[in-house]
Amino acid sequence: MAHSTQRALVIVMSPITRDPRVLRQVDWLRGKDWEVDTVGPAGHHVPGVDIHYGLSEPAQWTRSKIGSMFIYALLPHALKFSVLLERLIPQEVCDRIAAGEYDLVLFNDHHFLPWVRNRKVFTPAVVERGIHLDIHEYVRPRVPRDSLWRVFAAPYYDWIRTYIGDRRFSTRSTVASGISDLYVSEFGIEPLTIVRNAPPYVELSPSPVDPERIELLYHGAASDVRGIPELLEAMKVLPERFHLTLILVGEQARIDSYVRTVEQHQLRVQFVDPAPVAEIAQHINPYDIEVMFYRPLNRNLEFALPNKLFEAFQARLAILIGPSAMMTSVVSEYDNGALASGWEVSDLVAAIEQLDHESLSRMKHNSDRAAREISAETEREAFFRSFGGTTA
């Protein structure tokens, strides 16, 4: 009997080529001989994907101020969704879903969620077969009404969010148990399967620690809520043996503001250009300790398990964090990091000052020991388990 290949449709609102979590899902599926199609922004076809269904351009009138006001102020939510997104989805992919051509339909973005209400596409047979939702973060219950546009748009996005608990989704996954608990409590759904944002295993060794020059590192988004201002404040008072490297992506104006602070105070801080996603571990391996000081300013920061945490494992770095619940659990399990006792700059300084050659070498060694377990290869098992797939 000829082998019947399974086919998956991966749906995402962000540019897929720049979304490591979605790229891993595609790789995992293709690695088990699934055929994969994708739906998302046009122009982001991933190598190995059979068909990428790019969204059409929205009608010009919907992008004008008057058009947006009309849509958000006057149209019912379901019609808003139809005008803003559903009509941009190619008819061919709708027909193929309805025809039952996909063994897995995987939603990766809450913006698309109301699409499941379309019974012509998601027929009872398709729903019974199973639709999976991978929700990457905690979507806030109430959109902040901090601008005129948000005042009108907020009720619509609150409505979209209600579909997270829709019973047409048979299985769900997310990035951290704390986020799963929030959704379980709110929607009365089954606990979500945890699939962490760990990158592939990389064969590396810990770099040696120079006791006279301890290398602190932050790599990632240039954002004040990621602890960068606190790190720069700490560098003003830390002993001379500590040096900081910032490898930043994001808004150039924000990066420039950090550069000005460093120059103004003549801090022992250098800026290094980022590397491609696949080369991050090798790029940051020469440093000693990754600092992730995320004040719990919102639910996603409170329960953060950021990509950089797992990239630090692959780079064989030690890890320094504040009292973040999810990260504390991981670092405590593998004994590969240090914990600041609170969220003040003085707490961060005290934690850094305790670091020395012996403790850092031990932490980096423990990251090395855990690197294979904290990798995409292990998380792949959880991914297939999340929707009842098999890794065999």
Side-chain angles (χ1 to χ4, degrees):
M1 181 182 295
H3 173 69
S4 178
T5 301
Q6 292 180 296
R7 179 174 288 276
L9 178 69
V10 177
I11 303 165
V12 62
M13 191 68 173
S14 63
I16 301 174
T17 52
R18 299 200 294 267
D19 192 322
R21 185 173 179 87
V22 179
L23 289 173
R24 278 193 290 271
Q25 292 172 357
V26 171
D27 285 344
W28 287 334
L29 289 164
R30 291 187 61 247
K32 291 300 175 184
D33 296 325
W34 285 65
E35 295 177 351
V36 180
D37 296 337
T38 53
V39 176
H44 289 273
H45 189 284
V46 175
V49 165
D50 287 13
I51 302 173
H52 175 63
Y53 291 100
L55 301 175
S56 303
E57 284 293 314
Q60 189 66 39
W61 71 269
T62 67
R63 291 184 284 182
S64 69
K65 288 183 178 180
I66 294 175
S68 292
M69 190 68 69
F70 170 76
I71 291 169
Y72 286 109
L74 298 177
L75 296 186
H77 293 325
L79 190 52
K80 286 187 185 79
F81 175 73
S82 178
V83 170
L84 292 171
L85 186 55
E86 192 168 19
R87 293 180 185 177
L88 310 184
I89 301 169
Q91 185 60 43
E92 182 184 350
V93 72
C94 298
D95 295 341
R96 293 184 66 189
I97 295 171
E101 292 191 23
Y102 293 104
D103 301 282
L104 171 67
V105 178
L106 197 167
F107 281 71
N108 266 285
D109 194 285
H110 69 281
H111 292 85
F112 276 98
L113 295 184
W115 194 21
V116 298
R117 85 198 195 293
N118 188 330
R119 291 176 64 87
K120 290 182 179 179
V121 177
F122 295 94
T123 66
V126 172
V127 172
E128 184 176 348
R129 201 169 192 175
I131 305 170
H132 183 75
L133 169 60
D134 182 50
I135 195 83
H136 298 191
E137 60 182 4
Y138 183 68
V139 183
R140 288 182 286 181
R142 302 298 291 175
V143 176
R145 289 154 170 77
D146 54 8
S147 68
L148 183 61
W149 180 85
R150 282 179 178 265
V151 167
F152 287 100
Y156 169 64
Y157 288 102
D158 290 341
W159 171 76
I160 285 179
R161 187 182 181 280
T162 65
Y163 281 86
I164 293 171
D166 195 287
R167 297 297 171 179
R168 281 166 282 202
F169 291 105
S170 53
T171 52
R172 298 171 181 83
S173 53
T174 190
V175 298
S177 61
I179 292 175
S180 172
D181 292 344
L182 292 173
Y183 285 135
V184 169
S185 175
E186 181 174 355
F187 294 110
I189 55 180
E190 292 293 314
L192 287 69
T193 302
I194 308 306
V195 183
R196 299 178 295 187
N197 281 332
Y201 176 78
V202 178
E203 192 67 57
L204 284 172
S205 298
S207 58
V209 179
D210 181 350
E212 302 302 319
R213 186 183 172 96
I214 292 174
E215 298 285 358
L216 310 173
L217 171 71
Y218 170 92
H219 81 281
S223 169
D224 283 357
V225 302
R226 303 298 177 94
I228 300 174
E230 289 83 356
L231 254 178
L232 295 180
E233 284 296 314
M235 290 305 298
K236 294 177 183 179
V237 297
L238 282 168
E240 289 189 6
R241 71 179 185 277
F242 293 103
H243 294 254
L244 171 64
T245 295
L246 296 176
I247 304 177
L248 302 176
V249 296
E251 184 184 347
Q252 189 59 47
R254 180 65 56 195
I255 297 173
D256 291 342
S257 74
Y258 298 144
V259 171
R260 287 194 296 272
T261 298
V262 167
E263 292 175 346
Q264 179 182 350
H265 296 279
Q266 296 184 311
L267 303 180
R268 295 181 306 282
V269 178
Q270 66 170 344
F271 293 83
V272 171
D273 290 337
V277 171
E279 300 169 17
I280 288 176
Q282 295 92 329
H283 192 55
I284 65 176
N285 174 255
Y287 303 99
D288 293 319
I289 186 161
E290 178 90 46
V291 182
M292 286 165 278
F293 196 68
Y294 288 13
R295 291 176 183 267
L297 301 175
N298 57 49
R299 289 295 201 180
N300 285 308
L301 290 169
E302 180 181 354
F303 297 112
L305 272 179
N307 295 1
K308 66 170 57 60
L309 174 70
F310 304 109
E311 289 161 355
F313 272 87
Q314 293 307 318
R316 281 42 170 201
L317 302 185
I319 294 165
L320 193 152
I321 57 175
S324 299
M326 299 289 98
M327 286 193 274
T328 297
S329 176
V330 174
V331 171
S332 297
E333 180 179 355
Y334 296 102
D335 191 23
N336 68 330
L339 175 66
S341 60
W343 294 111
E344 300 303 319
V345 172
S346 58
D347 300 316
L348 178 59
V349 169
I352 293 174
E353 284 183 330
Q354 298 301 311
L355 301 171
D356 57 23
H357 175 272
E358 182 179 348
S359 63
L360 283 167
S361 297
R362 175 181 56 80
M363 294 172 191
K364 294 175 78 169
H365 175 70
N366 288 343
S367 286
D368 186 33
R369 292 177 58 190
R372 193 172 293 279
E373 184 175 343
I374 303 291
S375 69
E377 288 76 5
T378 300
E379 297 306 311
R380 182 193 65 169
E381 309 298 318
F383 170 70
F384 281 99
R385 191 170 62 248
S386 70
F387 60 86
T390 177
T391 58

